[in-house]
Amino acid sequence: MHAPDDDPLLRQVLRGVNGPDERLNEVVSSLITHLHAFVAEVRPTEREWLTGLGFLAETGQRWCGPHRDEFILLSDMLGLTTAVDDVNHSGPGTMTPSSVQGPFHSPAPPRELGDWISHGPERERGTPVVVHGRVLDCDGAPVPGALVDVWQANDTGLYDSQDDTQDLGNLRALLTAGPDGGYWFRTVRPSSYPVPTDGTVGRLLKAIGRHPMRPAHVHVKVTSPGHRPLTTHVFLAGDPYLDSDAAFAVKPELICHPVRRDSADDRRRWEMDGPFEEIEFDLRMVPLGWTEER
């Protein structure tokens, strides 16, 4: 593999990167350098190169739309989304770690605190769950009025956009935290599920011998003025795929242990008709402008 100084073609290409945006020049130059190094190392055949370009073209042309983005899925499956997340979201040890957004986020309907966010057939067959907690800053002070955007798959592992039996907006909610930063909603226990395997990413996973499974989780995205937006997961303890998440998104701090509740007091407190599981998860946001002490 040629070093950049020894590669006349690379030097010629890099001389053409001279736009007014210095950061863009830096990013594009680095990308070009790494891609040329990849070609020098792997020495792809012309057929292999064209196959790769066809893969990328099909990913965008056929598998990206309003309710699915195969390029986000590809980034997730290669661990790149988590890598980018890690370099962008350092913070105090008390913060809630961020995690990948995934390809299935879409605008959620506004709901009141305590609402059921499940309105499909899974409401009858799934395990009822109460999810609650507080939005706090990293010092433990409440963040009142924070917007808490949640979305999840149902008990069979399908999001609303994948499942004709669900209305769009099912198992999604945009909640406003109370004066104490509190939030809560009622739902059903999500299931572990495979990422979509009918597209280009599924073919790639099969070809390299990887499973497509994600452990059961609820997505959460929190925003509040004066704080860095937080996108994260709530993972359910005991799931068999916690140690091999296809998206490489599991972090120990994000694993919660659902607790079964069945007392009359618990049912009355959370307005439940029968036994349910309780998940408590606080969301600790980083203030804007936070910098790591060196």
Side-chain angles (χ1 to χ4, degrees), residues 59-262:
T59 298
Q61 293 170 358
R62 184 176 178 187
W63 299 105
C64 292
H67 302 296
R68 174 170 171 176
D69 191 320
E70 195 84 351
F71 272 114
I72 292 177
L73 182 61
L74 178 62
S75 177
D76 292 349
M77 296 301 99
L78 296 179
L80 294 174
T81 308
T82 294
V84 171
D85 181 74
D86 287 345
V87 300
N88 278 276
H89 294 102
S90 60
T94 53
M95 75 174 188
T96 298
S98 59
S99 191
V100 303
Q101 178 170 292
F104 289 109
H105 180 263
S106 62
R111 302 191 193 276
E112 299 296 322
L113 294 177
D115 275 358
W116 278 95
I117 72 170
S118 167
H119 299 284
E122 73 282 337
R123 175 84 172 269
E124 299 297 324
R125 64 177 184 251
T127 300
V129 178
V130 171
V131 181
H132 69 96
R134 297 175 69 199
V135 183
L136 308 167
D137 67 18
C138 290
D139 294 323
V143 182
L147 294 180
V148 182
D149 184 355
V150 298
W151 68 102
Q152 65 169 87
N154 67 6
D155 61 317
T156 65
L158 294 174
Y159 290 87
D160 56 351
S161 57
Q162 299 174 291
D163 184 4
D164 291 339
T165 69
Q166 299 183 53
D167 293 332
L168 290 179
N170 190 44
L171 292 167
R172 299 179 188 270
L174 186 62
L175 307 167
T176 301
D180 64 347
Y183 75 93
W184 74 288
F185 60 93
R186 291 173 290 178
T187 184
V188 295
R189 177 187 257 265
S191 171
S192 53
Y193 63 83
V195 301
T197 58
D198 55 338
T200 50
V201 173
R203 295 205 309 265
L204 177 63
L205 291 177
K206 183 177 180 180
I208 64 176
R210 272 183 50 197
H211 76 67
M213 297 301 295
R214 299 220 59 210
H217 59 272
V218 176
H219 294 273
V220 185
K221 188 173 186 176
V222 193
T223 55
S224 176
H227 299 85
R228 191 169 71 196
L230 170 65
T231 301
T232 193
H233 285 57
V234 181
F235 291 101
L236 275 58
D239 190 282
Y241 297 104
L242 285 173
D243 294 330
S244 61
D245 177 16
F248 307 98
V250 177
K251 298 174 182 178
E253 301 91 334
L254 304 181
I255 300 174
C256 292
H257 294 260
V259 178
R260 181 175 173 80
R261 302 295 190 193
D262 194 20

